[in-house]
Amino acid sequence: MMKDPSYCYKFYWLEAIVQLISENRTEATYDEIINEMIANAWYSVLEFHIHLSCIGGDSTIKDNLERAVLKLKELSDLAPNASKIEIKNAIAEFDKQLHAEKQALTNNVPYKALSGFANKTGEHISLDSSAGRMIAYYNALSAGDILLPYTFGTDSGLNRKLTFSEAWVRMIKDNTVNILGWIQCEKVKWLQNNNPEVPGLIYKLAPLDEKMRKLSHVRKLWDGILELRNINDVFTNDPIEPVKYDIDHFIPWSFVMNDELWNLMPMDSSLNSAKNNRLPDWDDFFIRFARNQYIMYGLVHEKEGIRKLYESCYRDNLHSIWANQELYRKGNSEAEFFGISEKNMRPVYDSARRQGYDVWEKRYAG
């Protein structure tokens, strides 16, 4: 059913059907299925800037599901991490404005999703036939030799109803977890191929628990440093107050999907939410970031207590080979340290920019 798809929304179509069946639904309209698809794609597209299919040379979005998500965001201004209930409520509120995007999703996917069953026996049909011909063909096929997952009702447009086969419903209910896992695996392979610069894509399909972030040892490291000397905030250039700072990522966590020490900095707590999921301006703020990292680096090699706090970060925050073998090795001058950091961080930063991450419009504080 997912052999050689042309667009990613085939995965979301099947996923939505499995989810609806798991909720004891025996039928659903195109509209209900597409609403489920939009809600399922929302987080990946908006929080992590994943493209569901390839982007045209003129940067146009080709994928109709991605277009629908972006249109809903434009209409509703919902947060990228909005709940599924909030997303579905917004879809209902702006249903008329989303009609064209939703209708476009019905042009192919309900029929292409069944293409693996076509032309196995009896009458053969071109898979590029009209929707009407495909509906008649698949309904006849399911009534005869091959029992399909669903058949098509007689309503038109988004009101057309699918009826799920009882045998398929039983099978899906008995194997829901495995089937959703298989769809997820195929979806990840497709998305990774279309987003080759995006790290950790497997973690970017659904909301993640903030508890996944492992910053406690890095916090203790910077606490120890702040007891010894002042550190100026990268963005305000004011001294950081020991009890009023957060540990934040220079390149957003939602892109790098790790808590590596080379990308972490102490930051005024009042600014953290303002920066949110955006990139700092590289020209304005990288040198300041690298300077604070170099201060940390120097103390790690000068102070035994700081060295122990640094070593406690090994399990959660020191996995990058380049950081361990080049950046934090003893003996780097400031210029060498800055150069190693920029050589390895700038390509990641540029990848995030190409993926659509915005630059935070924080003014440089001299």
Side-chain angles (χ1 to χ4, degrees), residues 3-59:
K3 183 180 178 181
D4 194 26
S6 300
Y7 287 95
C8 188
Y9 44 74
K10 192 181 212 181
F11 303 114
Y12 286 94
W13 173 264
L14 295 173
E15 180 182 51
I17 288 174
V18 172
Q19 289 172 336
L20 289 168
I21 288 174
S22 72
E23 296 169 4
N24 296 318
R25 297 290 300 275
T26 58
E27 57 184 23
T29 63
Y30 284 179
D31 195 55
E32 291 172 312
I33 296 169
I34 290 169
N35 290 349
E36 197 80 15
M37 292 166 65
I38 293 171
N40 288 341
W42 177 271
Y43 196 74
S44 295
V45 171
L46 295 175
E47 181 75 359
F48 292 128
H49 302 274
I50 301 298
H51 294 301
L52 301 186
S53 295
C54 63
I55 302 299
D58 56 355
S59 299

Side-chain angles (χ1 to χ4, degrees), residues 13 17 20 25 27-34 99 103 106-107 110-111 130-136 139 150-164:
W13 173 264
I17 288 174
L20 289 168
R25 297 290 300 275
E27 57 184 23
T29 63
Y30 284 179
D31 195 55
E32 291 172 312
I33 296 169
I34 290 169
H99 185 270
Q103 185 66 45
T106 71
N107 291 339
Y111 325 109
S130 68
R133 284 204 64 199
M134 296 301 290
I135 287 170
N139 280 350
Y150 53 80
T151 54
F152 300 86
T154 57
D155 289 323
S156 61
L158 292 168
N159 292 321
R160 189 180 297 278
K161 190 175 292 183
L162 300 185
T163 299
F164 307 130

Side-chain angles (χ1 to χ4, degrees), residues 210 213-223 226 231-235 239-250 259 263-276 289 292 360:
E210 290 289 320
R213 304 192 189 192
K214 298 177 179 179
L215 302 174
S216 60
H217 291 299
V218 178
R219 174 79 190 210
K220 290 175 183 177
L221 172 60
W222 281 105
D223 282 345
L226 288 168
I231 297 292
N232 286 349
D233 184 273
V234 169
F235 302 108
I240 290 174
E241 297 185 46
V243 295
K244 295 183 179 179
Y245 79 94
D246 293 332
I247 298 296
D248 193 35
H249 300 69
F250 188 82
D259 296 313
N263 189 40
L264 296 173
M265 59 186 173
M267 177 181 177
D268 188 318
S269 298
S270 66
L271 292 176
N272 199 356
S273 60
K275 176 179 175 288
N276 197 12
F289 167 79
N292 282 350
W360 184 32

Side-chain angles (χ1 to χ4, degrees), residues 9 131 144 170 246 250 253 293 304 318 329:
Y9 44 74
R170 287 195 300 271
D246 293 332
F250 188 82
W253 174 82
Q293 279 264 324
E304 181 64 24
L318 284 164
R329 69 185 176 192

Side-chain angles (χ1 to χ4, degrees), residues 302-318:
E302 293 170 10
K303 303 291 185 181
E304 181 64 24
I306 301 300
R307 179 72 189 182
K308 289 181 178 178
L309 292 172
Y310 168 83
E311 289 173 351
S312 71
C313 297
Y314 277 136
R315 188 185 68 178
D316 295 330
N317 315 105
L318 284 164

Side-chain angles (χ1 to χ4, degrees), residues 149-330:
Y150 53 80
T151 54
F152 300 86
T154 57
D155 289 323
S156 61
L158 292 168
N159 292 321
R160 189 180 297 278
K161 190 175 292 183
L162 300 185
T163 299
F164 307 130
S165 158
E166 289 185 15
W168 277 86
V169 166
R170 287 195 300 271
M171 186 276 290
I172 288 171
K173 283 186 173 182
D174 288 343
N175 299 278
T176 298
V177 173
N178 291 335
I179 294 170
L180 287 175
W182 172 68
I183 293 172
Q184 193 95 321
C185 179
E186 294 299 315
K187 190 196 298 184
V188 166
K189 288 192 288 186
W190 168 273
L191 291 173
Q192 190 67 78
N193 188 57
N194 282 274
N195 296 267
E197 294 183 297
V198 175
L201 195 144
I202 193 171
Y203 301 109
K204 299 180 177 181
L205 302 184
L208 290 172
D209 189 341
E210 290 289 320
K211 294 177 182 177
M212 287 184 64
R213 304 192 189 192
K214 298 177 179 179
L215 302 174
S216 60
H217 291 299
V218 178
R219 174 79 190 210
K220 290 175 183 177
L221 172 60
W222 281 105
D223 282 345
I225 291 169
L226 288 168
E227 288 179 3
L228 297 176
R229 59 159 297 161
N230 285 337
I231 297 292
N232 286 349
D233 184 273
V234 169
F235 302 108
T236 66
N237 208 30
D238 295 327
I240 290 174
E241 297 185 46
V243 295
K244 295 183 179 179
Y245 79 94
D246 293 332
I247 298 296
D248 193 35
H249 300 69
F250 188 82
I251 302 169
W253 174 82
S254 66
F255 183 73
V256 296
M257 292 302 291
N258 62 55
D259 296 313
E260 290 295 288
L261 186 61
W262 56 262
N263 189 40
L264 296 173
M265 59 186 173
M267 177 181 177
D268 188 318
S269 298
S270 66
L271 292 176
N272 199 356
S273 60
K275 176 179 175 288
N276 197 12
N277 204 27
R278 290 174 288 185
L279 292 158
D281 184 276
W282 183 273
D283 293 333
D284 282 350
F285 299 114
F286 171 73
I287 291 298
R288 286 186 176 181
F289 167 79
R291 185 174 294 120
N292 282 350
Q293 279 264 324
Y294 187 70
I295 291 170
M296 176 197 73
Y297 162 81
L299 291 172
V300 164
H301 291 290
E302 293 170 10
K303 303 291 185 181
E304 181 64 24
I306 301 300
R307 179 72 189 182
K308 289 181 178 178
L309 292 172
Y310 168 83
E311 289 173 351
S312 71
C313 297
Y314 277 136
R315 188 185 68 178
D316 295 330
N317 315 105
L318 284 164
H319 303 110
S320 297
I321 294 174
W322 70 268
N324 288 326
Q325 295 186 357
E326 296 181 63
L327 187 67
Y328 297 131
R329 69 185 176 192
K330 190 173 183 178

